[in-house]
Amino acid sequence: MAIVIRKLVAGDEAVLANVASGDFDEPVRPDLTARFLATPNYRIFVALDGDLVVGMCTGFTHFHPDKDEEFFVNELGVDDAYRRQGIGQRLLEAMLAEARTMGCPDAWLGTEHDNPEALALYRKIMRGEDTEESMSIFTYDLKGH
């Protein structure tokens, strides 16, 4: 069966009830799914093998008092059994096309320096037209403070 890339919208919550184990970091919660799909500036594309979600890409727009709205690609995940088939590239290209449709002049994402698969994909999609920046990402655990 061919893999289908699909944008989810409010009302599509049931699609995320059947997700392959490698797509998300944690189990998908129905309450958060409904909230996510109802938020106007949030987007999610999924890769479907029949009714099984085998990949996903999420993102959202944001802006600052001194900057136009831009698009942040938050996560991209493909189940291990479906990797190296172009699914991640198709998901990311769909997300970037959506950001263009939304009128965003820029989109950005980040990944760890020790994630060669992601780095290779993101560089491939850049096609030499965009920039890669070196940056550090800091994560703060706010539960214990």
Side-chain angles (χ1 to χ4, degrees):
M1 181 175 289
I3 302 298
V4 174
I5 305 298
R6 178 175 163 197
K7 179 175 118 176
L8 300 186
V9 297
D12 287 334
E13 291 81 1
V15 173
L16 293 181
N18 189 21
V19 174
S21 62
D23 295 352
F24 291 87
D25 297 329
E26 305 289 334
V28 174
R29 291 179 30 192
D31 60 324
L32 294 177
T33 298
R35 183 176 165 197
F36 188 98
L37 294 178
T39 303
N41 60 327
Y42 281 31
R43 296 293 189 272
I44 183 170
F45 283 82
V46 295
L48 294 164
D49 185 0
D51 67 349
L52 177 64
V53 176
V54 298
M56 65 85 194
C57 186
T58 63
F60 57 88
T61 62
H62 62 97
F63 62 92
H64 297 268
D66 63 331
K67 296 176 186 77
D68 286 332
E69 193 165 37
E70 61 184 9
F71 198 87
F72 174 64
V73 179
N74 189 47
E75 282 194 86
L76 174 66
V78 177
D79 184 68
D80 289 345
Y82 289 85
R83 290 191 178 177
R84 309 212 46 86
Q85 298 178 35
I87 295 169
Q89 180 174 344
R90 290 176 59 202
L91 284 164
L92 184 54
E93 287 175 342
M95 187 63 76
L96 295 175
E98 178 73 7
R100 264 186 229 97
T101 300
M102 295 170 75
C104 294
D106 297 296
W108 67 284
L109 55 80
T111 193
E112 297 81 6
H113 294 286
D114 64 350
N115 188 342
E117 295 87 3
L119 289 168
L121 171 62
Y122 302 152
R123 288 174 179 143
K124 180 180 179 180
I125 290 180
M126 287 172 57
R127 295 181 181 93
E129 303 165 3
D130 298 303
T131 60
E132 178 179 344
E133 299 177 27
S134 180
M135 62 187 291
S136 297
I137 298 172
F138 298 86
T139 303
Y140 298 94
D141 180 359
L142 302 177
K143 295 181 291 288
H145 300 289

